[in-house]
Amino acid sequence: MELNQLTIHELQEKIRTGETTSVEILQSVFNRIDAVEGVVHAYIALMRDSALEEAKRADLNIRGGKIRALTGVPLALKDIFCTRGFRTTCGSRILSNYVPPYDATVVEKLRESGAVFVGKTNMDEFAMGSSTETSFFGITRNPWDPERIPGGSSGGSAAAVAADECIASLGSDTGGSIRQPAALCGVVGMKPTYGRVSRFGLVAFASSLDQIGPFTRDVEDCAIMMNVIAGYDPKESTSVPIEVPDYREYLSGGIEGWTVGIPKEYFIEGIDPEVLAAVQNTIKVIEGSGGRCIEISLPHTEYCLAVYYIVAPAEASSNLARYDGVKYGFRSGAGNVQDLLTMYKKTRSEGFGAEVKRRIMLGTYVLSSGYYDAYYKKASKVRALIKRDFDEAFKLCDVILTPTSPTPAFKIGEKTDDPLQMYLSDIFTISANLAGIPGISVPCGFTRSGLPIGVQFLSGPFEEGKLFQIAAACERNAKIERRRPNL
Amino acid sequence: MKIDKEEVEYVAHLARLEFNEEEKERFTSQLDNILMYMDKLNQVDTSGVEPMSHAIALVNAFRDDRVGESLSHGLSLANAPEARGDCFSVPKVIE
C-alpha cells in the first residue's frame, strides 16, 4: 500500500520507527492529488507551499523526539474553517476573496498537534445542501462513481479521504453534512454532541445545530481526531466545560450485554433495499457480538424534516445578514452603485447562489411578523418533543441504530430541480442535530454496483465514547471488505 | 396557496435580495411547496410545551471584563471592498 492510503495510526507507527518521514507522506498525498483531482475535484484550494513547510517542521520535531497526536499527518479542511492568511470561501462567491485574520479553534488545535494541512475542501455553498452541487467553485464527484454526488455538504472532505487525497479531514454537520457524505463515500464520519467541539472560526450556518467533526478511514482514527478537537473553548460561549475522555480507550471495550434500539420510524418505505439489507446485516453483527437489539419508537420522527427546514433557514437568514459588502467579501460593482440599499441588494443577489437565497427567503419569511408563531415558534416546540423522544428512548437502550441515508449516492443533477427531494436525503441525520446528540456513520457494506453504504449510531449527549465502542466492535466483527475506489 | 408573488417581493426586500421575474415565479412556487409541507406540524399537539431554542441547557457565559488582544486596524480593514483611512467606505447614506 502507498503511504497516502494508510490510516493515522498506521502512519504514526511508521513515523515513530523512522520507516518514513512526514515529507514522504505528504509527497505521496500530492502525487495522488495530481493523479485524481482532475476527476474528483475534492479541493477548492491546495496549500502546497505551507504544507511542505509544515511537513519539514514535523520531521525536525520527529528527529528531536517531539511527536504529538498528529505530527506529520496530512489533513484536509472543509473550506468553512477560518485559516489565518489563507482564503476561506465557504463555497460562495460572496466570500471568494476573504482571507481570515485568525484561525478557527479546531484549526489551531490540529496545528498544535503537529498536523500538516493539504488544502481546503469543496462544499455546498454555506453548507446548505446534501450533494456538494451548490458550490460556486464547481461540483465534487464521488470517487466510487464519478457520475454520482459525494453527498454533502462536506462532500469534498469525504471524497478527499475516500480517494486517498489526504489521510483524514474535518467537516461540519448541521443536518447530516458529515454523516451523510461519510456514508455515501464509504468512510467514517462523526457529528459530536452540540457543545463538544468549539465552533469559533467556523463560518456560521445555523448556530443551534452546527457541529464540527472528523472524516477518517477507520474508527480508531476518528477517536484520535476527536481527542484533539474536542473540549471547552473560552472563545465559544456554547462550548461545554466537560472533561474530554481519551476516546481511544473505548475502542476495545466490546458491546457484551448492550441494548441497541432500532427505531421503527426509521425503517420507512422508500429505503433502498440494498441499504436495508446492509443495515440488517449490522444488526446481526451486533447480536453476534453480545448485543441485544430491541425495537423502540421515536414518535415525532416524521416531523423532523419540517422542523429542521424552519429552524435552520431561520437561523441562517439571521447569520447571513452579515454579508453586506461592507467589511469583507464580495461587493457588487464597487464604486458605481449610488446608494447603500442598492449596494446591499446587488451585492447579496450577485454574491449568493440559488439554494442560499432560497433558504434566506424561507428563513426571513418564517421569522417575519405575522408568521413567527405559526412557523418558528411552533417548530421550536415540536423540536422540544423530538428531543424528549430521544431522552425517553435512551432510558431503554444504550445506543440507537439507523441507516445513515435512505439511498446510496445518487446521480449528479438528479435532485437539483426539486429542493424537497434533496432535503429528504437528510431524513435520518437531522434528528441528532435538533436534539443536540452525537452520531457516527460507519461503512457497513456495498451495493451490487459497488457503492458504499453507511450505518448510523446515536447516543445520549456527551456519550461519544459509547459510539466509538459500538462502531469499533462492528468494524472488527463485520469484517467489511476493505475496498478502494477504482479511479 | 401559502405565499404569492407580492409576498415574495416583500420578503426579498426584508432579506435585501432582488430577483428578476422568472426567479420570482420559481421562488414563489418552490417556497409555496415547502411551506405546504411545513403544515404537517399542525398535526402535533404542542399545548403546554416550552419552545426549545438550544440543544443544551445554556446559561450566560460570563467572563471578566479585561482588555485582551484584538485585531489591529490594518488587519480589520484588510478584507474591506473599499476603505479610506481607518474606516470602511460605503456609498453615501445622507443627502
Side-chain angles (χ1 to χ4, degrees):
Chain A
M1 275 218 278
E2 302 290 326
L3 291 169
N4 63 307
Q5 300 179 321
L6 300 179
T7 61
I8 297 174
H9 54 96
E10 286 164 345
L11 286 171
Q12 281 171 330
E13 193 51 35
K14 288 190 185 295
I15 283 173
R16 214 172 292 124
T17 58
E19 205 184 307
T20 189
T21 66
S22 176
V23 170
E24 277 175 5
I25 298 167
L26 183 69
Q27 198 51 56
S28 92
V29 166
F30 274 121
N31 287 345
R32 178 67 175 170
I33 288 173
D34 291 337
V36 303
E37 185 58 3
V39 175
V40 180
H41 189 239
Y43 289 94
I44 288 177
L46 293 167
M47 299 163 135
R48 286 185 196 266
D49 295 345
S50 57
L52 188 59
E53 289 303 309
E54 286 161 9
K56 284 180 181 167
R57 206 174 315 131
D59 283 333
L60 274 179
N61 282 329
I62 293 161
R63 278 198 290 277
K66 283 181 285 186
I67 301 182
R68 283 163 293 173
L70 294 167
T71 297
V73 178
L75 303 180
L77 298 167
K78 186 178 184 180
D79 206 17
I80 197 168
F81 301 111
C82 286
T83 42
R84 190 175 58 214
F86 195 88
R87 189 176 74 138
T88 299
T89 70
C90 220
S92 183
R93 182 182 192 195
I94 214 157
L95 282 176
S96 54
N97 57 4
Y98 176 59
V99 180
Y102 56 85
D103 274 332
T105 295
V106 284
V107 173
E108 209 171 83
K109 285 187 167 191
L110 292 173
R111 234 188 251 292
E112 280 165 8
S113 306
V116 171
F117 296 124
V118 176
K120 305 292 289 286
T121 59
N122 200 15
M123 55 183 285
D124 281 300
E125 186 181 5
F126 281 101
M128 298 175 190
S130 312
S131 65
T132 315
E133 289 170 293
T134 70
S135 170
F136 178 65
F137 301 93
I139 60 167
T140 295
R141 291 170 184 276
N142 192 313
W144 297 91
D145 177 358
E147 298 298 306
R148 290 171 190 272
I149 57 97
S153 66
S154 315
S157 282
V161 174
D164 302 319
E165 295 184 79
C166 65
I167 307 305
S169 65
L170 221 51
S172 64
D173 188 315
T174 305
S177 285
I178 292 172
R179 290 159 290 154
Q180 184 254 21
L184 272 40
C185 287
V187 298
V188 175
M190 171 175 266
K191 179 204 95 78
T193 310
Y194 185 78
R196 180 76 291 186
V197 177
S198 165
R199 295 180 290 113
F200 179 79
L202 166 78
V203 179
F205 163 11
S207 303
S208 82
L209 305 165
D210 295 343
Q211 255 299 286
I212 297 166
F215 289 95
T216 57
R217 301 225 159 92
D218 67 8
V219 179
E220 181 171 353
D221 275 7
C222 190
I224 293 171
M225 291 283 283
M226 278 297 292
N227 278 350
V228 172
I229 62 171
Y232 173 69
D233 176 11
K235 289 183 205 156
E236 211 264 83
S237 62
T238 64
S239 77
V240 178
I242 292 179
E243 215 187 312
V244 182
D246 179 354
Y247 291 118
R248 284 175 96 162
E249 284 178 4
Y250 291 89
L251 298 170
S252 57
I255 52 165
E256 189 77 44
W258 280 33
T259 305
V260 178
I262 318 286
K264 59 178 186 208
E265 292 85 359
Y266 282 65
F267 291 83
I268 46 166
E269 244 178 271
I271 298 189
D272 183 279
E274 291 185 281
V275 170
L276 192 60
V279 170
Q280 277 161 345
N281 184 51
T282 306
I283 293 175
K284 287 203 196 88
V285 171
I286 288 168
E287 286 167 344
S289 312
R292 187 170 66 103
C293 293
I294 58 162
E295 185 181 278
I296 58 160
S297 175
L298 297 164
H300 294 90
T301 298
E302 64 166 307
Y303 305 109
C304 286
L305 198 67
V307 170
Y308 180 83
Y309 278 97
I310 291 171
V311 172
E315 294 184 16
S317 73
S318 159
N319 270 326
L320 270 59
R322 74 189 68 180
Y323 303 104
D324 57 5
V326 175
K327 297 176 290 303
Y328 47 82
F330 165 81
R331 178 191 289 191
S332 169
N336 299 328
V337 177
Q338 291 304 306
D339 73 289
L340 193 61
L341 189 64
T342 312
M343 190 278 275
Y344 288 156
K345 285 187 175 178
K346 292 218 175 296
T347 293
R348 290 166 61 79
S349 299
E350 292 168 27
F352 292 131
E355 181 61 25
V356 172
K357 285 189 250 192
R358 188 152 44 235
R359 300 218 197 172
I360 290 174
M361 290 287 288
L362 192 56
T364 306
Y365 178 80
V366 300
L367 289 177
S368 66
S369 152
Y371 297 105
Y372 176 87
D373 281 356
Y375 291 102
Y376 186 74
K377 202 169 173 193
K378 180 75 182 179
S380 302
K381 286 180 175 179
V382 180
R383 184 179 178 186
L385 296 175
I386 291 166
K387 181 173 192 300
R388 199 181 290 171
D389 284 355
F390 280 104
D391 293 344
E392 292 302 317
F394 286 123
K395 289 177 184 165
L396 305 173
C397 59
D398 295 285
V399 295
I400 291 173
L401 175 155
T402 81
T404 308
S405 178
T407 65
F410 46 90
K411 288 260 172 72
I412 290 164
E414 194 179 315
K415 300 187 182 183
T416 38
D417 291 334
D418 189 346
L420 258 178
Q421 273 309 311
M422 185 70 92
Y423 299 169
L424 280 165
S425 61
D426 290 332
I427 192 147
F428 299 144
T429 45
I430 276 171
S431 54
N433 300 80
L434 292 172
I437 59 172
I440 191 169
S441 177
V442 279
C444 69
F446 291 89
T447 65
R448 276 186 303 275
S449 59
L451 296 173
I453 300 169
V455 64
Q456 171 178 247
F457 296 106
L458 304 171
S459 74
F462 299 101
E463 289 183 339
E464 283 84 355
K466 278 188 180 173
L467 298 181
F468 285 121
Q469 204 164 331
I470 191 163
C474 286
E475 190 179 62
R476 263 194 313 275
N477 300 341
K479 300 189 174 63
I480 304 294
E481 176 194 352
R482 212 161 157 185
R483 299 188 203 171
R484 306 205 98 84
N486 194 1
L487 274 163
Chain B
M1 228 5 217
K2 287 271 165 194
I3 190 167
D4 57 27
K5 208 176 98 185
E6 281 67 48
E7 258 180 318
V8 164
E9 283 168 350
Y10 173 65
V11 173
H13 170 71
L14 291 179
R16 301 294 183 262
L17 290 169
E18 59 185 16
F19 299 107
N20 62 33
E21 283 307 308
E22 188 206 323
E23 287 171 321
K24 277 181 208 165
E25 300 288 341
R26 194 168 61 239
F27 269 65
T28 306
S29 91
Q30 285 178 341
L31 291 177
D32 195 55
N33 258 334
I34 296 169
L35 291 168
M36 297 282 264
Y37 179 78
M38 305 301 185
D39 263 359
K40 272 177 98 75
L41 295 183
N42 294 325
Q43 300 164 6
V44 188
D45 178 8
T46 51
S47 46
V49 179
E50 278 298 306
M52 166 180 168
S53 57
H54 255 85
I56 48 168
L58 272 185
V59 287
N60 281 332
F62 291 113
R63 62 169 170 78
D64 293 335
D65 186 18
R66 261 198 304 255
V67 178
E69 267 180 63
S70 52
L71 291 180
S72 66
H73 283 206
L75 265 183
S76 305
L77 289 166
N79 278 291
E82 262 188 84
R84 228 180 290 162
D86 263 355
C87 298
F88 297 103
S89 178
V90 294
K92 198 170 164 187
V93 183
I94 37 175
E95 292 303 313

